[in-house]
Amino acid sequence: MKSKIIIISILLLLSACSSQEAKISFKKTKFQFEYGETIEISASQLTDSDDKEVLESMKVETDKLPKDKNYIAVGTYKTRVTYKLNGEEKVKFINVTISDTTVPEITLKQEIIEVDQHTESINYNESVEASDLAGVTLTYDDSAVNLEEQGEYSVGIKATDSNGNQSESTIKVIVKEVVKETPQPQDTSGNNSNNAPETTPTSSGPYYVGDIMVVNKKHSLPQSYAPGENATAGNAIRQMIGDMQAQGFDISNSYSGYRSYEYQAQLYQSYVNSHGQATADTFSARAGYSEHQTGLAFDLLHTNGTLVTNANEANWIAQNAHRYGFIVRYQAGKESITGYQAEPWHLRYVGSQAESIYNSGLTLEEYLGVPGGGY
């Protein structure tokens, strides 16, 4: 009788052990991910079990979760977890939450939009881009802009993604006065009866050496020349900015690119008023003599809005800009040749010839054999 009791006890103990083995404890049943993030949940995150069969067979069925575009949609989902224990298929459920806390990124293709007085409307989308993994909508608050009145206005930009995240920025709008030109009588005496300044642009179009446009203190652009930002150069500078940001450099998406004749005249005059003409001429171009009017020149900015001067960024730009078709236009030690102080932030797009110019170590004037220096 005693042996029977012992056998029964052993069987009950084995049954209890078998019951314990049939259960796996999950140490975590709630997981959270950012929208667009790859969802990876390992067996070791779910359980402390060291059962090889359990660990090797465990699978989280995230492939069945609903998608928004190419990513799992925002929400909380009861998600199946399957695994095998002692050869038997088991199922447990966990909660997977997808949240979107990332705001859209706004990129200004140009910092300033210039329009003529009495223009009917402004297409801001030509100058502004927004990106986000979710769908994004741009809206503009231009209630302060009066297209009938010349002046400088600020337009609010708001980017909203499909999950409600928002980011804001501003862009400047300059409404220019439309000036009708009055024909001037010709002076056949050989004297300049209008007493025009010696540096007034008189060229009928850009000056080229080969396929490179030259704009400096000896070669100007007419007031009517207004091409806007060059599309190829604009794409190249944004690619360069993106690559620099990916490497951790302090570079803003915004930059100072195309400037009209009229805007450059205002900018130059403000420097003359602040510093005097002699000093202003060492760092600012007179209207018609600015490379920015070509649509091929760009000033890079730090994320705080100041011009790039830090050695870290400046050295990288000097050594890599040619790979994107740019040259650093105004170099240190070449002031008498270019006519301007060194500007590590000022890039000029020259396309396929950038590498050759970079390797020569010469300024654009030296490389092309054209005069530069002062007016």
Side-chain angles (χ1 to χ4, degrees):
M1 185 70 178
K2 185 176 180 181
S3 62
K4 289 183 178 180
I5 294 174
I6 292 173
I7 291 171
I8 292 171
S9 297
I10 291 173
L11 290 173
L12 288 173
L13 179 61
L14 291 173
S15 175
C17 292
S18 176
S19 176
Q20 288 178 350
E21 289 176 359
K23 294 181 180 180
I24 294 295
S25 175
F26 274 45
K27 63 182 179 180
K28 185 177 180 181
T29 59
K30 294 181 179 180
F31 294 84
Q32 185 161 336
F33 297 89
E34 183 70 10
Y35 178 73
E37 183 181 358
T38 300
I39 297 180
E40 294 180 343
I41 303 174
S42 66
S44 61
Q45 290 177 281
L46 292 166
T47 179
D48 287 327
S49 173
D50 57 1
D51 188 309
K52 187 175 181 181
E53 181 188 32
V54 170
L55 297 177
E56 290 182 351
S57 65
M58 189 165 284
K59 178 183 177 183
V60 183
E61 297 182 350
T62 56
D63 56 328
K64 297 181 180 180
L65 299 180
K67 287 192 174 182
D68 170 20
K69 294 187 175 181
N70 297 320
Y71 309 103
I72 296 176
V74 171
T76 298
Y77 307 101
K78 190 176 182 180
T79 307
R80 278 169 54 100
V81 179
T82 61
Y83 60 96
K84 287 185 178 180
L85 180 62
N86 297 330
E88 184 180 350
E89 189 79 21
K90 300 291 183 180
V91 177
K92 192 172 180 67
F93 290 91
I94 61 173
N95 284 332
V96 174
T97 298
I98 309 298
S99 57
D100 184 0
T101 62
T102 304
V103 300
E105 181 177 347
I106 298 174
T107 300
L108 302 183
K109 297 180 183 178
Q110 56 189 54
E111 293 182 308
I112 300 169
I113 299 175
E114 295 187 350
V115 296
D116 289 333
Q117 199 173 356
H118 312 306
T119 297
E120 291 186 5
S121 62
I122 302 173
N123 183 359
Y124 297 104
N125 287 334
E126 292 182 348
S127 303
V128 182
E129 288 181 346
S131 58
D132 193 88
L133 292 180
V136 60
T137 302
L138 280 167
T139 56
Y140 306 95
D141 179 9
D142 61 355
S143 56
V145 178
N146 183 355
L147 295 174
E148 301 301 315
E149 185 74 26
Q150 75 174 104
E152 189 174 298
Y153 304 92
S154 180
V155 173
I157 306 169
K158 183 178 290 185
T160 307
D161 70 20
S162 58
N163 293 315
N165 297 300
Q166 292 185 340
S167 57
E168 297 182 355
S169 185
T170 59
I171 192 167
K172 186 182 296 183
V173 172
I174 294 178
V175 179
K176 301 181 297 182
E177 181 182 10
V178 178
V179 179
K180 294 183 179 180
E181 295 184 1
T182 303
Q184 297 293 322
Q186 292 185 343
D187 182 1
T188 58
S189 65
N191 297 319
N192 185 355
S193 59
N194 294 323
N195 295 318
E198 184 179 351
T199 58
T200 298
T202 57
S203 61
S204 58
Y207 174 77
Y208 284 87
V209 175
D211 59 355
I212 296 182
M213 185 190 304
V214 178
V215 176
N216 60 15
K217 292 181 177 180
K218 294 293 192 293
H219 298 284
S220 62
L221 294 168
Q223 183 172 352
S224 59
Y225 187 75
E229 180 184 284
N230 179 277
T232 301
N235 289 334
I237 199 67
R238 287 186 287 275
Q239 178 65 52
M240 179 175 166
I241 288 172
D243 289 348
M244 290 189 71
Q245 291 173 338
Q247 295 183 48
F249 289 105
D250 177 24
I251 296 293
S252 172
N253 285 323
S254 299
Y255 53 79
S256 180
Y258 169 72
R259 299 175 194 160
S260 70
Y261 179 100
E262 291 78 12
Y263 179 69
Q264 186 66 33
Q266 297 174 18
L267 187 63
Y268 173 77
Q269 189 59 52
S270 70
Y271 289 134
V272 170
N273 294 343
S274 301
H275 304 280
Q277 186 172 30
T279 300
D281 279 337
T282 66
F283 65 85
S284 179
R286 301 179 187 182
Y289 295 83
S290 171
E291 282 200 322
H292 286 280
Q293 192 181 338
T294 68
L296 297 166
F298 303 86
D299 289 345
L300 295 182
L301 306 173
H302 288 297
T303 52
N304 63 7
T306 61
L307 292 165
V308 170
T309 56
N310 289 356
N312 195 31
E313 286 79 17
N315 289 340
W316 190 96
I317 291 167
Q319 295 167 14
N320 293 277
H322 64 280
R323 297 193 295 111
Y324 301 85
F326 293 98
I327 58 171
V328 177
R329 184 67 174 87
Y330 307 121
Q331 304 173 23
K334 303 282 189 173
E335 291 83 356
S336 62
I337 297 170
T338 64
Y340 294 102
Q341 299 175 13
E343 294 186 355
W345 59 81
H346 181 102
L347 300 182
R348 165 66 195 278
Y349 187 77
V350 292
S352 61
Q353 295 194 57
E355 184 172 2
S356 179
I357 298 173
Y358 166 76
N359 289 333
S360 74
L362 302 174
T363 65
L364 190 62
E365 284 82 6
E366 292 172 308
Y367 184 82
L368 298 177
V370 297
Y375 291 106

